[in-house]
Amino acid sequence: MDPRTEIITKGLLSLLAVAVIAWRHRPSSKLQPHQAGQVLWVMAVIAVAAYVNFGQFHGRSAIHHWEQFHYFLGSKYFSELRYDGLYVASLAAEKELGLRQATQTHVRDLRSNEVVRTTLLDAHQREVRQRFSDHRWRQFKADVGHFLRSNTYRYITRIRLDHGYNPTPTWTFSASLFSRWLPAARGGLTLGAWLDPILFALLFLTIFRTFGSRVGCLSLIVFGLGYAWRFDWVGGALLRQDWLAASGIAICLLKRRRHALAGGLIAYAAMVRVFPAAFLIGAAVLGLQALLQRQRPDWAWRVAGGFVVGVLLCLAAGSLAGGGPSVWLDFRENLAKHHGTWLTNNVGLKNLVLYDGATMRREQVDFNLPEPWIHWQARMDATEEQRRPIILAAAGCFLVAVIMAGRRQELHQASVLGTAVAFAVVVLTCYYWVMLLLIPLGRGRWLPTAGWMVLNSGLYALHLMTPSFEMIYGLMSWALAAFFLAWMAPDVVSSIREINAARAISETDTGC
């Protein structure tokens, strides 16, 4: 399936999904319950098939070599590569293998995140090479050789202009449980790529068992047809969806009142990707509300206890990934460096304040430079600094809306609002918004799901009109802002009325 056909097909399927969801749930529908369920099931199966491009995956392979280069090699050899050594070590291995006539001229220096001439990294290349024992270097060289032989050199060159290996030590520990035993040249990448489908199967099985087939099918439709997280992004990678499986299953456990285990799973998700800590919002809002009403929210303490225990276990596991406890300091420094680099496919509330017409038209982008977006990044940094008060005020207002909406919902529903919290406080690479498959688990179920699918079909249409990621994901940020506000509005309005009514009663009692 060529890219244009994929976009058109999935865009049309998104519109069809809107029609199917609306038809399934309209009050005047003459369908029997089992017939309506069958229609939704068929749509869900089609959506899942569409996610993997109807069995064509990446075209030539189901393996995502770009992702595996970073996450397979980065986790397997983390003790030696750490956060700064992947690209220069692969260049050294390439040189010893003698597979190419000429080495790429520019590469990203992972110490500074700047694209520099390859010759300037010779000393760093030798320093990273010395971190390896001879045995480990032979293994690394063989694995790098597999990537070199399996891809064009232009593809490898583009890989080494990306932003390196950035997961937490906890994720590194989890991934290395598999990658350390898997040689790339013997089908190891294929085995590693199966981990995410297994986790997805576990996640959806839990959703179906907890919420029923209707909600499960709605989640499958959102997952399978999502524009921003198409298979091209991280499909066929190594353990890229563990945070999502942990977060989604945790929300299911909250509904089943398995509070401590839910807290532990949210802790794991947060310790491998940080932002899933936002899914604690439901417990925080409802727990605080119970305390203010002089109740004893024992469930909240169980969630908090599970979370704390989970964090401690993850800290210990991460310290075993290589380098001991100090590896967490290395991660903190790397995270600060990485967050200082703007990506064109980021989505978040901040984009509403920072993006303008010039940004979306790519007026600061120069494709004649080794780093085409360097001037754009500098402008974004300057604009962010200038508009920081506006950004903070917008995020604060959004969080107030989340709190006002969450206080009227059940625990698991309020926890789903963690997606809105993440939107307000961070900008996330587009494929992390696969967490929108949790929408049907929250308040409203089908109507917000249908609303998102309308917006999703618009993103497919936009893709056909422009190649600009800044335009596509800038407008996706606006679409998500409108979606979240519309989703929360009924509960926000009801909360305001309740608070005003309670205040009026209190003033009346005081007057008496």
Side-chain angles (χ1 to χ4, degrees):
M1 182 183 292
D2 66 85
R4 183 176 177 82
T5 301
E6 177 198 351
I7 296 300
I8 293 173
T9 301
K10 292 180 180 179
L12 292 174
L13 286 174
S14 295
L15 289 175
L16 177 61
V18 175
V20 168
I21 293 170
W23 188 34
R24 161 65 179 84
H25 293 88
R26 63 179 181 146
S28 60
S29 177
K30 296 181 180 179
L31 289 175
Q32 296 297 319
H34 73 280
Q35 293 175 318
Q38 288 172 354
V39 171
L40 205 60
W41 262 109
V42 170
M43 191 69 243
V45 170
I46 293 173
V48 172
Y51 176 73
V52 294
N53 296 322
F54 300 99
Q56 295 187 29
F57 301 101
H58 293 292
R60 66 186 179 91
S61 171
I63 303 302
H64 198 315
H65 288 265
W66 190 302
E67 284 283 310
Q68 295 268 19
F69 185 92
H70 289 95
Y71 289 89
F72 179 86
L73 294 177
S75 61
K76 184 174 181 178
Y77 300 100
F78 183 74
S79 295
E80 295 87 359
L81 298 175
R82 306 298 281 266
Y83 291 109
D84 66 336
L86 176 59
Y87 294 165
V88 291
S90 70
L91 285 166
E94 174 189 322
K95 188 182 300 182
E96 291 189 18
L97 288 166
L99 297 178
R100 306 293 172 185
Q101 295 296 320
T103 302
Q104 67 185 82
T105 58
H106 290 81
V107 68
R108 191 172 300 276
D109 184 350
L110 297 178
R111 297 170 298 179
S112 63
N113 248 357
E114 296 178 356
V115 174
V116 301
R117 294 192 65 84
T118 305
T119 53
L120 297 178
L121 299 177
D122 288 346
H124 183 46
Q125 189 177 123
R126 290 191 295 270
E127 187 269 321
V128 173
R129 166 63 182 90
Q130 290 172 0
R131 301 176 191 171
F132 286 81
S133 68
D134 290 341
H135 173 67
R136 289 276 285 175
W137 181 251
R138 284 193 297 270
Q139 287 183 318
F140 178 74
K141 194 161 62 172
D143 285 341
V144 170
H146 173 78
F147 285 98
L148 291 169
R149 294 184 185 95
S150 302
N151 299 278
T152 65
Y153 195 60
R154 182 176 180 274
Y155 186 79
I156 297 295
T157 299
R158 290 169 56 217
I159 285 177
R160 290 190 291 225
L161 293 174
D162 202 345
H163 293 85
Y165 179 81
N166 302 296
T168 69
T170 299
W171 186 92
T172 300
F173 173 83
S174 297
S176 67
L177 295 176
F178 303 96
S179 62
R180 71 174 64 178
W181 310 109
L182 301 175
R186 298 180 183 176
L189 303 185
T190 302
L191 293 173
W194 270 102
L195 295 176
D196 279 345
I198 292 171
L199 289 176
F200 272 129
L202 182 60
L203 169 61
F204 285 112
L205 176 63
T206 308
I207 290 174
F208 272 80
R209 292 189 62 184
T210 304
F211 291 92
S213 61
R214 181 170 65 91
V215 171
C217 285
L218 292 174
S219 290
L220 281 174
I221 290 169
V222 175
F223 162 69
L225 296 178
Y227 169 81
W229 51 89
R230 303 187 313 283
F231 189 82
D232 284 353
W233 285 109
V234 294
L238 172 69
L239 203 63
R240 292 289 262 132
Q241 307 293 0
D242 55 340
W243 67 272
L244 178 62
S247 301
I249 293 172
I251 291 172
C252 293
L253 291 174
L254 289 175
K255 181 173 175 59
R256 297 166 114 178
R257 301 182 184 279
R258 302 288 297 277
H259 300 113
L261 185 54
L265 285 177
I266 294 175
Y268 175 80
M271 293 300 287
V272 296
R273 290 295 165 193
V274 183
F275 72 86
F279 290 110
L280 285 175
I281 185 67
V285 170
L286 295 178
L288 180 59
Q289 181 174 252
L291 288 174
L292 292 175
Q293 294 174 349
R294 301 183 183 279
Q295 299 174 5
R296 293 184 55 187
D298 293 337
W299 59 266
W301 299 119
R302 290 195 293 272
V303 172
F307 183 81
V308 170
V309 171
V311 167
L312 293 175
L313 290 175
C314 288
L315 284 171
S319 300
L320 299 175
S326 65
V327 73
W328 286 101
L329 299 177
D330 296 339
F331 169 72
R332 185 181 67 180
E333 293 176 4
N334 185 70
L335 184 66
K337 175 197 68 180
H338 188 62
H339 279 184
T341 303
W342 282 93
L343 301 178
T344 58
N345 60 333
N346 274 349
V347 177
L349 182 65
K350 189 183 293 186
N351 284 359
L352 276 61
V353 180
L354 299 184
Y355 277 25
D356 55 20
T359 299
M360 296 186 183
R361 291 190 299 269
R362 293 183 163 180
E363 292 182 5
Q364 293 83 29
V365 179
D366 186 353
F367 289 101
N368 294 317
L369 298 175
E371 173 62 290
W373 280 271
I374 188 169
H375 298 310
W376 175 75
Q377 290 187 28
R379 183 177 182 273
M380 292 296 288
D381 287 338
T383 305
E384 181 182 18
E385 185 64 29
Q386 179 184 15
R387 300 179 183 177
R388 192 177 302 278
I390 301 175
I391 294 170
L392 293 175
C397 291
F398 216 88
L399 291 175
V400 169
V402 171
I403 293 169
M404 296 290 280
R407 64 182 292 274
R408 298 191 71 255
Q409 300 181 10
E410 296 180 36
L411 176 58
H412 67 280
Q413 294 172 336
S415 298
V416 176
L417 290 176
T419 54
V421 174
F423 177 78
V425 300
V426 293
V427 285
L428 295 174
T429 314
C430 59
Y431 45 78
Y432 285 116
W433 289 102
V434 66
M435 66 178 143
L436 292 177
L437 68 82
L438 302 174
I439 291 171
L441 280 58
R443 185 80 127 189
R445 305 217 190 283
W446 78 268
L447 189 57
T449 305
W452 166 250
M453 293 309 298
V454 171
L455 297 175
N456 187 65
S457 62
L459 292 174
Y460 280 110
L462 187 61
H463 182 105
L464 295 172
M465 293 186 287
T466 177
S468 170
F469 275 9
E470 295 91 326
M471 175 73 77
I472 294 169
Y473 295 109
L475 292 180
M476 180 179 169
S477 297
W478 279 99
L480 269 181
F483 169 78
F484 283 129
L485 291 175
W487 189 20
M488 295 185 294
D491 283 318
V492 171
V493 172
S494 296
S495 280
I496 293 173
R497 289 173 176 170
E498 288 176 1
I499 292 171
N500 287 338
R503 183 179 301 164
I505 293 172
S506 176
E507 290 175 353
T508 301
D509 291 343
T510 302
C512 291

